[in-house]
Amino acid sequence: MMATFSKHLDLNYTLNLMEKLISFKSNPDLGYRTSGSAAEVAAGDFLHDEMKRIGLKNVHKDPVVVDNFEFKRADISYKMHNGNTRKVLLSSFQARCLAEDEKIKIVYVNKGRDIDYENKDVEGKYVLIDINMVDDWWVNWPVTQAKFKKAKGVIIVQIGGYCSWSKDTLGVQDISTNCDLPTFSMTVREAELFKEQLKLQGGEIEAVLNAEVSVVNNGITNCIIGEIPGKTDEIVYLIGHYDAYFTAFADNTSGIGCIMGICKALIEDGYTPERTLRVCLHGAEE
């Protein structure tokens, strides 16, 4: 079986499917096809049709109630000490924020601990926080602390741990827990420059925020399900999530491509498995 199966493996099919999947995105600069977003729904529709096209059986959508998260854009612009204006692209955690040229003030509060807020007026302002979610704590802790301190929003700088491969990495990890407190992420390189400017400008910078991020409770995402019927009623599941932060070529576009490529090869080989192979491609992992 392996010899004939391998003849039907088509790596170009897998790669093309992956490239098609990453074309579904909410944010034109960063990607994002998150829980229940228009991009995620479109990706699910594509995978549903593709399952049918390659010959999977009992293909259907299984709706699941989730909180929908859609991130379309976020950036800040601020004047540097030399008079030049710098625009910074931000990524976003799950939150609600609709801003059109909104003037905000930003203050640096180190790791966002209680001691870091001493003698600092942050009420109604955005706070810039350094975080290492491996060695210190998850993002939900400093975000909750910022809310208690009456901050208007949070900008996270991931100085270590997850999403810190380089100073130019723009990442997010985990959820922020406070959907009504806008929470964004800035690269280490941009944050270093911003902190220098804070020192030159008295510890507080006025910036202009543009953002379109939404969280809608009790929305819908879909599990896309298909089968290769087996000789018995026992089931082996092949599972992967098709939603994503950023373009997510690795997480988990590659997994979806591999699952679909394997199924296509098995079907073309005419193989009937001992147990039914049930494919479940699900949304809302992110």
Side-chain angles (χ1 to χ4, degrees), residues 1-13 261-262 264-270:
M1 179 261 174
M2 286 300 298
T4 56
F5 166 73
S6 62
K7 291 180 181 178
H8 294 286
L9 281 174
D10 184 352
L11 297 183
N12 284 328
Y13 169 79
I262 289 168
K264 180 175 179 289
L266 289 172
I267 291 167
E268 290 179 355
D269 189 44

Side-chain angles (χ1 to χ4, degrees), residues 24-81:
F24 298 103
K25 51 190 176 182
S26 299
N27 185 304
D29 297 310
L30 299 177
Y32 277 77
R33 51 180 186 278
T34 43
S35 173
S37 64
E40 191 208 55
V41 170
D45 290 344
F46 160 70
L47 291 170
H48 175 271
D49 293 344
E50 186 63 12
M51 279 188 183
K52 286 187 172 182
R53 192 187 73 80
I54 66 175
L56 283 160
K57 304 300 182 184
N58 304 320
V59 176
H60 64 282
K61 299 176 185 177
D62 187 7
V64 180
V65 176
V66 296
D67 291 341
N68 291 356
F69 165 44
E70 188 156 29
F71 170 42
K72 293 186 177 180
R73 62 176 180 142
D75 61 71
I76 58 169
S77 299
Y78 68 95
K79 278 193 175 182
M80 302 175 69
H81 190 252

Side-chain angles (χ1 to χ4, degrees), residues 108-221:
Y108 176 52
V109 292
N110 199 353
K111 291 187 175 184
R113 300 162 298 184
D114 196 50
I115 192 173
D116 297 320
Y117 283 92
E118 288 184 1
N119 302 316
K120 290 188 178 178
D121 175 19
V122 301
E123 185 172 351
K125 301 172 186 178
Y126 273 70
V127 290
L128 184 72
I129 299 175
D130 293 333
I131 189 170
N132 180 325
M133 282 189 278
V134 172
D135 298 328
D136 295 328
W137 41 71
W138 290 93
V139 69
N140 50 13
W141 186 89
V143 170
T144 302
Q145 181 81 331
K147 187 171 185 177
F148 285 148
K149 297 297 183 180
K150 299 183 180 180
K152 188 174 184 178
V154 177
I155 300 175
I156 293 293
V157 185
Q158 301 190 84
I159 58 171
Y162 303 111
C163 303
S164 57
W165 299 284
S166 79
K167 288 188 175 183
D168 296 310
T169 300
L170 184 58
V172 292
Q173 178 74 21
D174 204 57
I175 57 176
S176 61
T177 75
N178 285 294
C179 289
D180 292 316
L181 190 70
T183 304
F184 301 104
S185 181
M186 179 188 289
T187 70
V188 169
R189 193 176 305 279
E190 286 292 351
E192 287 177 346
L193 178 60
F194 194 85
K195 291 170 191 175
E196 290 176 5
Q197 292 299 309
L198 279 168
K199 292 178 182 178
L200 293 170
Q201 299 185 45
E204 183 174 295
I205 288 179
E206 185 174 278
V208 176
L209 171 68
N210 284 285
E212 190 172 355
V213 193
S214 64
V215 176
V216 179
N217 302 121
N218 299 315
I220 294 291
T221 189

